[in-house]
Amino acid sequence: MTSSYGLRGRAAVVTGGTRGIGRAVAEQLAQAGALVCVTARDADEVRRTAAELGGVGAVGSVADPDHLRAVVDLTLREFGRIDVVVNNAATNLPYGPLMDVDPLSWRESFTVNVEAPLRLVQCAWRAWMRDHGGAVVNICTEGATHVGPHIGAYGTSKAALLHLTQQLAGELAPKVRVNSVSPGLVRTEMARFVWEPREEEAAAGLPLGRLGEPDDIARAVVWLASEEARWVTGADLLVDGGTRVRAAFGSQAYAVHEGLRAHRPT
Ligand SMILES: NC(=O)c1ccc[n+]([C@@H]2O[C@H](COP(=O)([O-])OP(=O)(O)OC[C@H]3O[C@@H](n4cnc5c(N)ncnc54)[C@H](OP(=O)(O)O)[C@@H]3O)[C@@H](O)[C@H]2O)c1
């Protein structure tokens, strides 16, 4: 990624920017000339990443509203502006059937995955974006629009994030564009327990023949954050290697269509 995409000199916050998708986003933003503030809970990783990217870092959990205010204060203090917010940090901890989910971890998943993105945007809006404009990109998931085993809490919170994205896009226009990116299965730590035990099989089942890499998602995020997407708001960009269309081409679908063909009127 070498194009500056109009991001040179712009300031960006990437939550969860020390590894996986967030790290790739922060890296590509920095390559495009943006000034980057990364956040995460592990202080060593935050320091290391900020140094490697020539940016700044804030240590804390996005679940803590004081931390989110501090992130915006730091970005403004260091860079004098805050043009881009990428809400990337998330949790999928209440993994399992909804009947077993305890109220604390259910609340935690909504605090981290939905409330934190809203609070961070509120802080950035009041401090800078209301007057100067900007772009927000929320990292959602391909699974936000359909149900599946064990991901009830995560999926419900990400569906709320999808809704929040469109709501904010309506409320913050025309000053601020708000979009989301919905990744399919990406080879990161968070999803390791899903992809590692069956990587080849999962990759072979995808139309594009491989699992996602953090860079694949980051390209879409940077595009949405950039001037290239200046007339795009309220959109969800699916970056999933064809995961969603696979369902339409599964063996069940072929069986149905074979049946239809057999009965096609002549
Ligand atoms: N990987 C996939 O297949 C996939 C698919 C669809 C959607 N997504 C979404 O993509 C985003 C990134 O996921 P990933 O797979 O890249 O995860 P990852 O590799 O586990 O990285 C997560 C990042 O977020 C930070 N983080 C986690 N909880 C945090 C919190 N409460 N406060 C602040 N920082 C926190 C982590 O650092 P610390 O642990 O040091 O805080 C790390 O920097 C998430 O929104 C996820 O839902 C991922």
Side-chain angles (χ1 to χ4, degrees):
M1 238 268 329
T2 48
S3 161
S4 86
Y5 270 160
L7 286 163
R8 190 163 302 284
R10 299 291 163 94
V13 170
V14 183
T15 66
T18 57
R19 62 169 192 264
I21 293 168
R23 163 76 198 215
V25 170
E27 234 172 70
Q28 289 190 21
L29 285 169
Q31 280 166 17
L35 308 158
V36 178
C37 173
V38 291
T39 86
R41 293 163 301 178
D42 184 316
D44 290 341
E45 290 298 305
V46 169
R47 262 192 297 276
R48 192 174 56 80
T49 309
E52 283 170 4
L53 301 182
V56 296
V59 180
S61 171
V62 294
D64 174 6
D66 289 339
H67 166 66
L68 298 176
R69 277 191 288 273
V71 167
V72 170
D73 289 348
L74 173 73
T75 307
L76 281 175
R77 200 166 58 242
E78 292 294 323
F79 303 143
R81 54 195 302 148
I82 176 166
D83 307 286
V84 172
V85 167
V86 180
N87 283 305
N88 167 75
T91 178
N92 65 350
L93 257 191
Y95 188 78
L98 283 182
M99 292 307 102
D100 298 338
V101 172
D102 65 278
L104 265 185
S105 46
W106 172 268
R107 244 173 265 142
E108 173 76 3
S109 75
F110 273 76
T111 303
V112 172
N113 298 357
V114 190
E115 188 180 327
L118 171 60
R119 282 190 184 278
L120 184 55
V121 172
Q122 284 176 333
C123 293
W125 168 260
R126 288 169 192 152
W128 178 268
M129 290 183 171
R130 178 170 44 197
D131 296 328
H132 305 279
V136 174
V137 184
N138 296 325
I139 309 303
C140 221
T141 175
E142 184 273 330
T145 51
H146 56 84
V147 298
H150 304 304
I151 56 159
Y154 178 71
T156 308
S157 70
K158 290 290 190 176
L161 181 62
L162 203 58
H163 191 101
L164 179 72
T165 302
Q166 293 177 20
Q167 183 69 30
L168 286 174
E171 292 191 17
L172 305 192
K175 279 281 183 189
V176 177
R177 296 182 300 102
V178 187
N179 294 288
S180 57
V181 169
S182 281
L185 188 55
V186 182
R187 287 174 5 103
T188 67
E189 277 311 303
M190 186 189 217
R192 183 178 288 281
F193 73 107
V194 183
W195 57 263
E196 199 166 55
R198 52 181 200 96
E199 189 174 351
E200 271 183 33
E201 179 199 342
L206 288 176
L208 295 187
R210 65 172 175 84
L211 299 185
E213 298 294 340
D215 269 351
D216 297 321
I217 312 303
R219 284 164 187 266
V221 176
V222 171
W223 180 74
L224 280 171
S226 78
E227 279 301 299
E228 297 292 307
R230 64 191 179 187
W231 208 53
V232 181
T233 197
D236 179 54
L237 182 46
L238 186 64
V239 186
D240 71 345
T243 305
R244 197 167 291 170
V245 294
R246 178 192 54 188
F249 283 80
S251 53
Q252 187 75 19
Y254 272 112
V256 170
H257 284 282
E258 286 306 309
L260 285 176
R261 196 161 61 176
H263 292 96
R264 193 169 53 189
T266 51

